[in-house]
């Protein structure tokens, strides 16, 4: 692994990590994917998508470090980058705790920061004690795609965030992480809520809720549900607000 002090040029293949590096270590980032939309106005060389990066373009940037993720990026692309002589740091993020650990590794070991940035401390504090929820715990179907329908299954970062806010994923024990499930099975799953993020599929008020008649639908900003970076500091409040908008009537309090 390259010594932190020698890292002067970084290419990020992960939108979440692009934002984290750009905000925390300005000037180090020289390349990012076409999907790296934050921070706004990011002025770096674009090197293709997360699943199909232009390996030659990355190599041409002469980065000291390439930052990737085991889920978002393909192993053959990462192998090609290593074969070209580049250092590649691969992250794994399947829980909130893992996100915090990996962000520290990227920013301290990768970027050479002396201490975690303020936003990371704020994010830890925000998730340490989420505000109380007046509604009963709920079970949810969490689609991420339609045509065909795909949902969150086992061992996912987004489902871990929702669980910390009192929402249990109906498919948390499914053998697959992103199973394809027919719509009639989703409707019969026993969920009392459907959570519809706007990425990777862009669910909207007019595209998604109508598939689940009679079921409250929480439309959530995908950045707060699936990104691990500066948005984590705002995510608990933003997600809770979206869940409350879709919440059923509170249970009557016991005398």
């Amino acid at each position: 692994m390259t010594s932190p002090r020698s890292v002067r040029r970084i290419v990020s293949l992960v939108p979440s990590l692009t934002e984290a590096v750009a905000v925390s270590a300005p000037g180090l980032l020289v390349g990012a994917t076409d999907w790296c939309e934050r921070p706004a106005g990011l002025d770096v060389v674009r090197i293709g998508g997360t699943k199909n990066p232009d390996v030659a373009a990355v190599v041409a940037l002469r980065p000291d470090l390439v930052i990737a993720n085991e889920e978002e990026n393909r192993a053959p692309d990462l192998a090609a980058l290593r074969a070209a002589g580049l250092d590649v740091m691969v992250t794994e993020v399947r829980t909130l705790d893992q996100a915090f650990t990996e962000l520290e590794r990227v920013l301290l070991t990768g970027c050479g920061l002396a201490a975690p940035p303020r936003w990371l401390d704020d994010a830890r504090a925000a998730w340490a004690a989420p505000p109380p929820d007046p509604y009963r715990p709920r079970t949810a179907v969490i689609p991420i795609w339609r045509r065909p329908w795909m949902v969150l299954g086992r061992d996912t970062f987004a489902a871990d965030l929702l669980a910390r806010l009192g929402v249990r994923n109906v498919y948390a024990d499914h053998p697959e992480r992103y199973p394809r499930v027919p719509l009639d099975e989703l409707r019969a799953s026993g969920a009392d809520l459907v959570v519809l993020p706007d990425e990777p599929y862009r669910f909207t008020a007019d595209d998604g809720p109508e598939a689940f008649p009679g079921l409250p639908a929480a439309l959530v900003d995908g950045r707060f549900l699936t990104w691990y970076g500066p948005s984590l500091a705002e995510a608990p409040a933003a997600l809770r607000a979206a869940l409350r908008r879709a919440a059923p009537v509170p249970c009557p309090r016991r005398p």
Side-chain angles (χ1 to χ4, degrees), residues 138 140-144 146 149 162 167 193-199 201-212 215-225 235 237-247:
R138 283 165 285 169
V141 167
I142 311 152
I144 56 169
R146 67 182 303 175
W149 286 94
L162 289 172
V167 178
L193 176 72
V194 56
V195 177
L196 298 169
D198 63 6
E199 60 178 73
Y201 184 91
R202 188 174 179 78
F203 288 106
T204 68
D206 299 319
D207 185 0
E210 82 292 340
F212 300 89
L215 203 61
L219 294 165
V220 303
D221 186 328
R223 180 169 172 258
F224 293 122
L225 184 62
L239 292 174
R240 191 171 292 274
L243 294 170
R244 283 176 173 163
R245 286 193 292 271

Side-chain angles (χ1 to χ4, degrees), residues 103-245:
L103 284 165
E104 282 203 0
R105 184 165 73 97
V106 167
L107 296 173
L108 276 61
T109 302
C111 297
L113 297 185
R118 174 64 181 273
W119 63 260
L120 188 52
D121 291 336
D122 291 344
R124 287 185 184 277
W127 282 100
D133 193 332
Y135 302 101
R136 74 177 72 186
R138 283 165 285 169
T139 58
V141 167
I142 311 152
I144 56 169
W145 203 259
R146 67 182 303 175
R147 305 182 191 96
W149 286 94
M150 296 177 66
V151 298
L152 294 186
R154 65 169 181 85
D155 196 23
T156 66
F157 171 71
D160 186 49
L161 294 194
L162 289 172
R164 292 165 186 265
L165 298 175
V167 178
R168 186 184 72 84
N169 177 15
V170 169
Y171 292 97
D173 296 323
H174 196 282
E176 298 178 25
R177 297 186 67 212
Y178 303 103
R180 296 185 180 187
V181 184
L183 182 57
D184 58 348
E185 290 187 26
L186 297 180
R187 290 171 172 167
S189 66
D192 53 29
L193 176 72
V194 56
V195 177
L196 298 169
D198 63 6
E199 60 178 73
Y201 184 91
R202 188 174 179 78
F203 288 106
T204 68
D206 299 319
D207 185 0
E210 82 292 340
F212 300 89
L215 203 61
L219 294 165
V220 303
D221 186 328
R223 180 169 172 258
F224 293 122
L225 184 62
T226 64
W227 286 46
Y228 35 91
S231 59
L232 279 174
E234 304 170 63
L239 292 174
R240 191 171 292 274
L243 294 170
R244 283 176 173 163
R245 286 193 292 271

Side-chain angles (χ1 to χ4, degrees), residues 41-105:
L42 181 65
D43 184 17
V44 297
V45 175
R46 301 297 174 162
I47 48 77
T50 57
K51 303 297 186 186
N52 58 344
D54 184 334
V55 172
V58 175
V59 173
L61 288 172
R62 298 176 291 106
D64 302 307
L65 181 65
V66 177
I67 301 171
N69 176 264
E70 52 90 28
E71 179 177 65
E72 294 199 47
N73 308 119
R74 301 187 316 133
D77 295 322
L78 304 184
L81 292 169
R82 290 192 177 102
L86 299 183
D87 245 343
V88 181
M89 175 183 280
V90 181
T91 59
E92 179 181 282
V93 177
R94 300 190 181 189
T95 67
L96 178 63
D97 291 339
Q98 228 181 354
F100 288 142
T101 298
E102 292 288 59
L103 284 165
E104 282 203 0
R105 184 165 73 97

